[in-house]
Amino acid sequence: MAVIEIVGAHKTYRRWRKPPERAVQGLDLTVEAGGVFGFLGPNGSGKTTTIRLLLGLVRPDSGSLHMLGRSVPAELPLVMGRVGALVETPLFFPNFTGRVNLALLARASNIPKARIDEMLELVDLQGRADDRVKGYSLGMKQRLGIAAALLKNPELLILDEPGNGLDAAGIREVRQLIKHLGTIGVTVLLSSHQLGEVQQVCDRVAIMSHGRVIASGSVSDLLATGTTGDVRVRLGDTSMGATVLRSAGFTVTALEGDDDGWRVGGVGDPALVTKALSEAGLYLRELSPIAADLESVFLDLTADGADGTAGETETTARSVVEQNPVGR
Ligand SMILES: Nc1ncnc2c1ncn2[C@@H]1O[C@H](COP(=O)(O)OP(=O)(O)O)[C@@H](O)[C@H]1O
Ligand SMILES: [Mg+2]
């Protein structure tokens, strides 16, 4: 069963004295039940707007949206009890303890008190539950926010960039928690502009760009679309080898931080690389395929000007990497 089904959604924000902003334009998204689904895209690509549409915080201009089989926003009241969400850094009473904050929320929604301890344990805050929230780290506040969203035992948990503002340790804590949630029967929609945050917990992802989903599926399927067929070649006499390969029609680029390594593109059959070199009296020390990783697929798909020259694409890709370091 699909827990989220969006077809052809559009949302334009009208702005004062500025052209309207088309935040979501023709978005299709299907999220099947179970596990952690990564909702990935650069800043400004429309992730938060999509989530706000699902939660009834903004109205779509057109399109059909369903959550847990119900039409959104019309039938939202029928499903909100089964959906937990953490959209911005959650607001808690700073002078109350984590436990008291959860108790207030539980009482407002008629949730049994036992559930509070269960959730504190789940997010690994039992040891700090009786300290005031104002002394919590950002990561602890975020985990308390997740505990709050989980109080009502939702089938679907929507987390919008839960790693934002967290340091590496906080990100690791939240990531472990999300991974765990995916194994206990909650479907998690995890939005992020940080590939590293998503790649390590999700097996399915959708990639957003300019208000649309431009790719979605299992991580392995997306990787398959990204196989370039490029190979890494290592030679003794590097400059000579590069010249030989170029004149044989391959594209050759230096591998960064690798003195005698080259990336060779336009390779149909790696044997042709070996042949060209040996005919010139050069012998390989290494030839290995360069596997596409999710990062390069993501960057290829979301890079602006990806239709331009390779050089332009690379510049865009590199600047995105620098802004959004991955693999922490
Ligand atoms: N309330 C708003 N009014 C006007 N423009 C907005 C508003 N919220 C978001 N936008 C714009 O819509 C686009 C998509 O934003 P958003 O959905 O927040 O993307 P993301 O969450 O992927 O960063 C951006 O260009 C953003 O500036
Ligand atoms: Mg956002």
Side-chain angles (χ1 to χ4, degrees):
M1 186 199 69
V3 292
I4 294 172
E5 181 91 68
I6 302 176
V7 182
H10 287 258
K11 173 66 194 177
T12 299
Y13 293 109
R14 313 208 177 277
R15 300 181 298 175
W16 191 64
R17 285 187 158 179
K18 279 188 185 168
E21 175 68 46
R22 294 189 195 172
V24 165
Q25 33 184 342
L27 176 118
D28 300 322
L29 175 70
T30 303
V31 178
E32 299 291 336
V36 185
F37 187 96
F39 191 38
L40 199 59
N43 284 326
S45 56
K47 304 180 298 295
T48 298
T49 301
T50 304
I51 287 171
R52 297 177 80 204
L53 287 170
L54 284 169
L55 298 174
L57 300 171
V58 293
R59 292 188 79 86
D61 301 325
S62 59
S64 111
L65 291 89
H66 285 83
M67 206 161 48
L68 300 170
R70 298 289 187 164
S71 173
V72 171
E75 298 181 299
L76 211 46
L78 298 175
V79 285
M80 271 322 278
R82 295 155 63 197
V83 179
L86 185 60
V87 178
E88 264 131 30
T89 313
L91 288 175
F92 292 109
F93 296 107
N95 284 318
F96 291 167
T97 67
R99 190 191 304 282
V100 168
N101 269 284
L102 289 188
L104 290 170
L105 290 169
R107 194 183 312 158
S109 316
N110 270 325
I111 289 158
K113 266 197 149 167
R115 180 95 187 141
I116 296 169
D117 285 308
E118 263 175 57
M119 289 308 103
L120 286 167
E121 194 164 325
L122 181 67
V123 302
D124 201 19
L125 277 177
Q126 64 275 53
R128 299 292 303 273
D130 297 310
D131 295 347
R132 291 180 187 199
V133 167
K134 67 178 175 190
Y136 284 12
S137 68
L138 264 175
M140 291 167 67
K141 283 183 192 155
Q142 207 69 324
R143 282 184 282 140
L144 187 63
I146 293 175
L150 286 169
L151 273 179
K152 56 184 168 183
N153 197 12
E155 288 159 57
L156 171 63
L157 179 66
I158 298 178
L159 302 174
D160 191 16
E161 308 246 13
N164 268 7
L166 300 188
D167 60 10
I171 288 183
R172 202 159 36 236
E173 289 166 13
V174 170
R175 191 197 288 145
Q176 275 163 3
L177 170 59
I178 293 169
K179 208 170 190 169
H180 178 63
L181 294 177
T183 65
I184 59 171
V186 190
T187 307
V188 183
L189 180 75
L190 170 64
S191 108
S192 180
H193 70 279
Q194 298 268 2
L195 179 78
E197 206 180 314
V198 161
Q199 193 173 16
Q200 298 179 34
V201 278
C202 305
D203 45 6
R204 293 163 303 143
V205 293
I207 298 178
M208 287 281 284
S209 176
H210 300 290
R212 276 190 203 93
V213 170
I214 52 168
S216 78
S218 70
V219 171
S220 51
D221 284 352
L222 286 178
L223 291 182
T225 69
T227 30
T228 51
D230 287 6
V231 294
R232 179 200 326 274
V233 163
R234 200 154 292 175
L235 291 160
D237 184 341
T238 52
S239 55
M240 178 72 178
T243 309
V244 166
L245 290 172
R246 282 201 187 99
S247 56
F250 301 108
T251 61
V252 183
T253 44
L255 282 167
E256 264 174 54
D258 191 336
D259 282 345
D260 59 351
W262 299 90
R263 180 180 186 129
V264 183
V267 181
D269 179 352
L272 297 175
V273 174
T274 318
K275 182 165 177 279
L277 289 168
S278 62
E279 279 172 4
L282 296 170
Y283 295 94
L284 287 164
R285 286 205 271 150
E286 184 189 324
L287 184 149
S288 52
I290 296 179
D293 56 7
L294 194 55
E295 183 181 341
S296 51
V297 175
F298 177 56
L299 293 176
D300 279 354
L301 289 170
T302 57
D304 290 330
D307 53 348
T309 64
E312 267 171 42
T313 310
E314 284 221 340
T315 312
T316 313
R318 199 153 292 141
S319 59
V320 174
V321 175
E322 274 161 18
Q323 284 158 26
N324 309 319
V326 293
R328 306 194 255 177

